Amino acid sequence: MDMSQYLEVFIDESREHLQTINEQLLELEKNPDDVAIVNEIFRSAHTLKGMSATMGFEDLANLTHQMENVLDAIRNEKISVTPELLDVIFRAVDDLEAMVVSISEGGDGKRDVTEVVAQLKQIEKGDVVAVPQKSNSTYEQTYDEFEYTILKQSAEQGFHSYEVTIKLRSDCLLKAARVFMIFEVIEQIGEVIKSVPTVEMLEAEQFDDQFVVTVVTKVSQDELQKRIMKVSEVEEVNVRSVDLRRSVAQDGSLEQKVEQKVEQVVDKKQENQEEKTTGKQVSNKTIRVNIERLDVLMNLFEELVIDRGRLEQISRELNNPELHETVERMSRISGDLQNIILNMRMVPVETVFNRFPRMVRQLARDLGKKINLEIIGAETELDRTVIDEIGDPLVHLLRNAIDHGIETPDVRRAKGKPEEGTVKLKAYHSGNHVFIEIEDDGAGISREKVLKKAISKGIISEQNAANLTDKQVYELIFASGFSTADKVSDISGRGVGLDVVKSTIESLGGSVSIDSEEGVGSIFSIQLPLTLSIISVMLVEIQHEKYAIPLSSIIETAIVKKEDILHAHNQKVIDFRGKVVPLLFLKDIFEVPVVKEDDDFLSVVIVRKGEKMAGLVVDSFIGQQEVVLKSLGNYLTSVFAISGATILGDGQVALIVDCNALIK
């Protein structure tokens, strides 16, 4: 019997079962005596075992079988649930996830799991198992997807990534001081991305004589080795290049590696209602559609939108009532069709959010903190292209909140706060945008600390610092290489990252802002467009050329007299509602051939990015329109301040202006 035809279904269903197991294990940790949760986990594990055996993946089936035995013992109250026991089960789930990823990439799903199987057998007998620390001789760095992304981006920018194994002399007295000195040396020439054991363990001297750090730098291996060897009491330094092809550590975050699927949910509300009334689990009626088919459908529809614009223009020119009526009806229907196609591409953000509770639990345990993660609005839907990109920035912001935001239990007690810190991850729709907020009730951001660091890094001058609002000060932490951490930490990315977060979100046409109160907490708010391919724009004319400015960036339009233009710092500005707004003459920026003379009045489009505003000077406004955003292709990737092009109803091409690049 040929099993290959069932492989895709097997991979999808295995992922769903593993996700359920992960979620329910986290619930079990909160309610260790709840047998119903154990039964739920047991059911998923049992199904997974059966499917794996049928498909011939013996290793997967055997490990699941061993996990099932432990769950059965918990269910029958032979053993009790402890965090240590759950650590072992989570390790088994990690291995299962790695096997499923291997199968999805065409592998055989084999993996060495003897250690974790031995631990599960020990637990089954009733022995207490402590998860062994890795022996010093075999420290090996594995990277989660976020760290891997940083290493990859650094390599693209010409940096080298090295794993440095450092051994201190066995008679070294102040190991923590030596570690600090080594990090100081590395900081002068590069950045520490990760360390094993963690920095907290190194500072607490919870290691023998050896540790490994991953460093991103521009200096050579020999130079790095020489510099570290100069620190006294360092016995040995081994530097080797990071193999970026090595597999990333599995934490459930490498989903959607196989051909991506999207689920179209039918009658969701109605079924949710039924579920509430009957109290039974009702499965959604879904159909799996290859995402490429949806992309083709979207492209065909975009062509239709272009032709719709052309028809509307012809209809206006001919002024035939019957043609007019037909075109109007077609516009209405194609509008409905557009909504349906866009909704089919929509995926709930829970596909990204699902992997965070597990990560937060592990981080909290590593850092010795108590953290409660609240997820609100996971059913909010986003375009699949955005979903694919948004995972990394969110991982970084969550790590940031847990590492720098939430204080340790003793500090929180001293401040009169509950020991357990709360991190809220919230998604909601507003207008034509989706907002994702990460809120923590931690230490907040210190204005003084940020300004001090920004001045020392030369990001701003002392004179400017005094005039900045709190919000503008918080924006500074998105500057490249900025970090206010008192201690070096491998958790939140060491200041490599918040600038990456900002650029990733802006590349999706979104924005990120911060609100914070020292001692109370912080809120990071991400604003994202609902769809990236069909956007509302304001069409403008510059000489004989047409340009489109996205409505999402525009505050308003204005007509300005030439004599109202002022000069400040070699820049033409206007006074707009009490604010000084710089003027940008698009005809100069885009070098538009001059055909007609200037008027005494200027047409200005006021645009905003975050706190900054600018006035774009154009010749005339044409009006608002929905257009299809087409990329400029591979030849024109480096064109300044143009994000794409569109074809108008009369067949002309209008370039779409990237307001973010202009304001920068």
Side-chain angles (χ1 to χ4, degrees), residues 143-405:
Y143 304 105
D144 64 24
E145 197 171 4
F146 172 72
E147 289 153 351
Y148 183 74
T149 306
I150 288 179
L151 292 173
K152 225 164 135 196
Q153 286 175 343
S154 303
E156 285 162 11
Q157 290 167 18
F159 287 84
H160 308 296
S161 302
Y162 300 124
E163 280 172 10
V164 188
T165 308
I166 299 160
K167 191 174 182 194
L168 300 177
R169 286 208 335 236
S170 53
D171 57 353
C172 175
L173 291 173
L174 293 168
K175 290 200 292 189
R178 293 290 165 238
V179 170
F180 178 74
M181 289 166 76
I182 290 163
F183 275 105
E184 282 281 286
V185 168
I186 294 171
E187 287 244 283
Q188 290 165 11
I189 49 171
E191 288 275 6
V192 176
I193 302 301
K194 185 183 177 80
S195 85
V196 176
T198 63
V199 176
E200 281 69 23
M201 288 170 76
L202 293 177
E203 283 174 349
E205 300 196 353
Q206 292 174 1
F207 69 108
D208 295 339
D209 305 319
Q210 187 171 305
F211 59 97
V212 184
V213 286
T214 304
V215 179
V216 169
T217 178
K218 286 211 165 173
V219 305
S220 67
Q221 273 176 271
D222 294 345
E223 173 72 6
L224 183 61
Q225 187 174 18
K226 275 182 202 154
R227 290 209 184 198
I228 298 171
M229 280 302 285
K230 280 182 185 166
V231 178
S232 52
E233 298 192 299
V234 171
E235 188 174 287
E236 197 183 326
V237 177
N238 286 318
V239 182
R240 69 172 188 273
S241 292
V242 175
D243 180 6
L244 286 178
R245 290 166 307 177
R246 195 162 72 204
S247 64
V248 186
Q250 302 305 323
D251 64 348
S253 57
L254 286 183
E255 290 170 52
Q256 303 162 321
K257 267 289 166 75
V258 203
E259 179 188 60
Q260 285 173 311
K261 310 276 196 246
V262 95
E263 296 200 353
Q264 181 192 359
V265 179
V266 182
D267 297 339
K268 198 174 188 177
K269 284 184 183 164
Q270 184 188 332
E271 290 181 359
N272 284 351
Q273 208 55 45
E274 281 174 28
E275 200 172 311
K276 279 175 193 160
T277 50
T278 60
K280 288 177 187 167
Q281 287 277 304
V282 180
S283 62
N284 288 325
K285 290 177 183 167
T286 62
I287 180 168
R288 293 188 192 280
V289 180
N290 181 332
I291 196 73
E292 284 171 9
R293 288 187 188 174
L294 286 184
D295 284 339
V296 170
L297 182 61
M298 190 67 183
N299 282 334
L300 289 171
F301 181 73
E302 286 170 357
E303 296 301 325
L304 200 59
V305 170
I306 290 166
D307 289 339
R308 178 179 78 189
R310 181 93 184 97
L311 272 174
E312 283 170 350
Q313 185 159 351
I314 292 168
S315 157
R316 277 196 298 274
E317 286 166 5
L318 294 178
N319 207 10
N320 178 319
E322 283 186 6
L323 176 64
H324 209 62
E325 195 180 307
T326 310
V327 168
E328 260 186 13
R329 184 171 155 71
M330 198 192 96
S331 295
R332 261 201 319 276
I333 291 168
S334 62
D336 293 343
L337 189 58
Q338 177 181 333
N339 286 334
I340 285 175
I341 293 173
L342 292 181
N343 285 335
M344 281 168 68
R345 292 175 57 91
M346 292 303 208
V347 185
V349 288
E350 68 184 335
T351 54
V352 179
F353 284 8
N354 277 346
R355 70 196 207 211
F356 295 142
R358 173 70 200 286
M359 182 189 88
V360 169
R361 172 196 183 267
Q362 195 56 52
L363 283 181
R365 278 180 75 82
D366 290 348
L367 292 168
K369 294 179 178 179
K370 293 182 180 175
I371 290 166
N372 171 36
L373 176 68
E374 285 181 27
I375 292 181
I376 303 158
E379 69 288 344
T380 308
E381 294 188 328
L382 257 175
D383 190 280
R384 197 265 313 167
T385 45
V386 180
I387 287 277
D388 289 352
E389 298 291 329
I390 197 66
D392 280 354
L394 288 180
V395 167
H396 185 77
L397 290 175
L398 273 175
R399 286 166 166 252
N400 200 52
I402 293 162
D403 190 17
H404 297 316

Side-chain angles (χ1 to χ4, degrees), residues 65-101:
H65 177 67
Q66 198 51 56
M67 201 167 91
E68 216 178 337
N69 290 350
V70 172
L71 292 167
D72 198 37
I74 296 172
R75 197 164 61 160
N76 297 322
E77 298 182 5
K78 289 179 186 169
I79 49 179
S80 54
V81 176
T82 63
E84 289 69 31
L85 177 144
L86 286 174
D87 280 346
V88 176
I89 297 183
F90 273 128
R91 280 192 63 193
V93 174
D94 281 347
D95 283 331
L96 293 173
E97 285 178 341
M99 289 171 171
V100 172
V101 168

Side-chain angles (χ1 to χ4, degrees), residues 583-601:
L583 288 181
L584 297 171
F585 289 80
L586 292 187
K587 71 166 185 275
D588 300 335
I589 292 170
F590 297 135
E591 298 174 10
V592 180
V594 176
V595 184
K596 52 191 180 191
E597 286 302 307
D598 286 355
D599 285 335
D600 292 336
F601 292 92

Side-chain angles (χ1 to χ4, degrees), residues 585-641:
F585 289 80
L586 292 187
K587 71 166 185 275
D588 300 335
I589 292 170
F590 297 135
E591 298 174 10
V592 180
V594 176
V595 184
K596 52 191 180 191
E597 286 302 307
D598 286 355
D599 285 335
D600 292 336
F601 292 92
L602 300 179
S603 302
V604 180
V605 181
I606 310 287
V607 294
R608 177 167 63 194
K609 170 185 173 247
E611 293 285 307
K612 296 180 187 167
M613 298 204 300
L616 308 182
V617 178
V618 300
D619 287 342
S620 61
F621 309 128
I622 298 171
Q624 183 184 333
Q625 199 174 323
E626 276 199 336
V627 300
V628 176
L629 175 62
K630 294 278 187 190
S631 80
L632 295 175
N634 298 334
Y635 293 113
L636 300 170
T637 47
S638 56
V639 178
F640 172 69

